Amino acid sequence: MLSGMRVAARTEGPCPLLIVLHGLGDTSAGWEWLPGELQLPWLEYLLLDAPDASFDGRSWFGIALPMDGRFTGALPAIDATAVERSRLMIEDVLAREKAAGRAARDIAILGFSQGCLMTLETGLRHAEPLGGLVAISGWVHQPDALVSGAPAHARAVPVLMTHGTFDPLLGIEHVRPQATALRDAGFDLLWQEFEKEHTVAGRTEVQYIARFLEQCFGREHARRRAGSGTAPD
């Protein structure tokens, strides 16, 4: 069973949930800044920790890193069995949330890097349409298999996929065609490029994500104060 940290909404009554999946070598603690920066008081958060130890943090699946430490931007070889294992563990989290009375449409998933891959792999294969998916600086696991294996209703799930134009780890020239393939297959995917490396593009990207989530959950666009400075630049 996955563990993590829950951040309550700041408003009364029923509220949607955003499940957050970190990247390789990180933990849920690395995303504690997100609720304060998104400034969506009606949103509850569940920041999950991946199941495997990796470096000083956690990992969703095994990944082949270059022996010489030199990254070319090519998409890495990964442990597909571990991807499926982690997907089922996230599915268990979704099942528990729905058993507690939350509708699938009131749940969104956001993931970074490895978490991006898990967001798409889980969210687009889920048995019911989720409220939305935010996939940041990652890639798609076996796009052809995802297109053929996703249920028909997955094509109505709003997806925001963002990437850096000079990401040195996952080259945009490799990821952009994957996003295009999903969109061409009928998925409701919005592709947005930012001038950034393998990170979040500070307030610019955070505000873009916030507006997307407002649209997913039918909330009015809110004017936001300046950020607290905790979002990565």
Side-chain angles (χ1 to χ4, degrees), residues 15-227:
C15 57
L17 174 70
L18 180 65
I19 296 173
V20 179
L21 310 178
H22 62 75
L24 175 66
D26 201 358
T27 67
S28 59
W31 288 80
E32 290 182 13
W33 58 268
L34 185 64
E37 292 296 328
L38 283 178
Q39 299 179 35
L40 301 173
W42 42 265
L43 187 59
E44 183 179 348
Y45 298 81
L46 180 56
L47 315 179
L48 292 178
D49 287 310
D52 301 326
S54 179
F55 303 103
D56 293 328
R58 312 293 299 175
S59 172
W60 294 101
F61 49 82
I63 186 169
L65 299 175
M67 295 297 293
D68 59 3
R70 298 179 180 178
F71 291 90
T72 65
L75 302 184
I78 63 175
D79 183 348
T81 300
V83 170
E84 178 63 8
R85 180 275 323 262
S86 290
R87 184 186 73 84
L88 294 176
M89 295 179 82
I90 299 167
E91 283 284 3
D92 181 63
V93 173
L94 292 169
R96 284 186 275 123
E97 290 296 326
K98 293 194 293 184
R102 199 187 304 267
R105 286 284 191 187
D106 289 332
I107 303 173
I109 307 177
L110 176 150
F112 175 80
S113 194
Q114 275 200 349
C116 165
L117 183 148
M118 294 309 311
T119 293
L120 296 170
E121 186 69 11
T122 306
L124 294 178
R125 291 184 182 274
H126 190 60
E128 297 180 82
L130 298 176
L133 305 174
V134 180
I136 306 169
S137 295
W139 72 111
V140 185
H141 177 52
Q142 300 176 349
D144 291 343
L146 181 58
V147 167
S148 62
H153 63 248
R155 285 157 171 79
V157 175
V159 179
L160 170 62
M161 196 170 180
T162 71
H163 210 85
T165 52
F166 43 96
D167 188 322
L169 305 185
L170 302 168
I172 195 168
E173 69 274 15
H174 302 295
V175 181
R176 188 190 290 122
Q178 292 188 326
T180 299
L182 291 184
R183 194 164 51 202
D184 289 348
F187 291 92
D188 184 13
L189 187 146
L190 173 63
W191 169 259
Q192 181 63 41
E193 300 178 6
F194 291 94
E195 293 184 358
K196 64 171 186 172
E197 296 188 356
H198 194 68
T199 185
V200 178
R203 289 296 299 159
T204 302
E205 187 169 2
V206 169
Q207 290 187 4
Y208 198 96
I209 293 168
R211 290 194 295 271
F212 174 78
L213 290 171
E214 286 170 334
Q215 185 174 15
C216 287
F217 292 120
R219 305 283 177 145
E220 292 185 5
H221 293 322
R223 292 192 61 182
R224 292 176 176 81
R225 66 182 188 280

